[in-house]
Amino acid sequence: MPDLIPVLDKETIAQKVDQIARQISSDYKDANLVMLGVLKGAFVFMADLVRCLDLKQVTVDFVRLESYGDRADSSGKIRVVQDVQVDIRDKDVLIVEDILDTGLTLEYLKNHLKRFQPRSVKICVMIDKFERRKVDVQAQYVGHKVKEGFLVGYGLDYAEAYRHLSGIYHLTF
Ligand code: IMP
Ligand code: MG
């Protein structure tokens, strides 16, 4: 049976989300912000984050990406299963993702978004897992940095399990 070792509890996550939200609210005060969540992993983080924002106006949308090939690992072969629905032309897009690992997914998405001519594209991740980075993608807003390991909970899954957990755990086999 796999073991779940606590990494971040509910309260710590809430503090980190609030910190990020303050920074976003200040940075995007006069912007035309579109928060773009990456499904499925970002759904919990996104829901918490938008409710902490102190902004008059914000648009929310989601994309769904699929990496085909390997399971736990990003194979680098990515396709868009559900594309952006709102008009992001000249808008300030903030991609919201659960975890940044090799960086291949977010690099792909950043490139994909160029065709819609957004004014700016930045990245917000709950977890920055930096050891396996393959491409130079940077997140401007980061909840928590870890070097390695497979994390679950707070939207993060292992084979579709554990997304519902309110804390973040290190999964060990
Ligand atoms: P990247 O393309 O390697 O940066 O991988 C990003 C995607 O891989 C994330 O959106 C997750 O779906 C998945 N992933 C990478 N590391 C983990 C992890 O520790 N737990 C759960 N999913 C992960
Ligand atoms: Mg994901």
Side-chain angles (χ1 to χ4, degrees), residues 37-164:
V38 183
L39 293 173
K40 298 179 204 174
F43 83 109
V44 181
F45 182 34
M46 180 78 147
D48 283 347
L49 191 57
V50 292
R51 285 178 292 173
C52 291
L53 293 175
D54 181 18
L55 288 170
K56 280 193 222 87
Q57 209 265 329
V58 57
T59 302
V60 171
D61 200 5
F62 291 93
V63 290
R64 180 144 174 206
L65 303 176
E66 198 174 75
S67 89
Y68 46 107
D70 221 315
R71 283 261 146 159
D73 267 353
S74 188
S75 61
K77 288 182 202 142
I78 296 144
R79 67 175 163 232
V80 178
V81 178
Q82 182 191 313
D83 213 338
V84 188
Q85 307 281 312
V86 303
D87 185 8
I88 58 167
R89 193 189 172 112
D90 297 327
K91 303 279 167 57
D92 297 295
V93 176
L94 183 58
I95 298 171
V96 179
E97 171 65 309
D98 51 3
I99 189 164
L100 175 56
D101 182 16
T102 64
L104 292 167
T105 305
L106 288 176
E107 182 182 63
Y108 176 88
L109 181 58
K110 275 193 92 171
N111 280 327
H112 173 77
L113 295 178
K114 280 182 188 158
R115 74 194 65 192
F116 304 114
Q117 298 176 275
R119 196 167 86 96
S120 66
V121 178
K122 287 188 177 168
I123 294 173
C124 171
V125 293
M126 185 61 212
I127 305 285
D128 179 356
K129 187 165 78 178
F130 52 86
E131 193 185 56
R132 301 201 309 163
R133 199 65 40 83
K134 285 187 184 153
V135 285
D136 181 30
V137 181
Q138 257 137 56
Q140 287 70 37
Y141 306 93
V142 174
H144 186 68
K145 288 191 188 204
V146 295
K147 183 162 170 263
E148 61 196 350
F150 197 83
L151 304 185
V152 295
Y154 200 65
L156 289 155
D157 76 307
Y158 173 69
E160 295 302 327
Y162 309 113
R163 288 196 202 275
H164 66 294

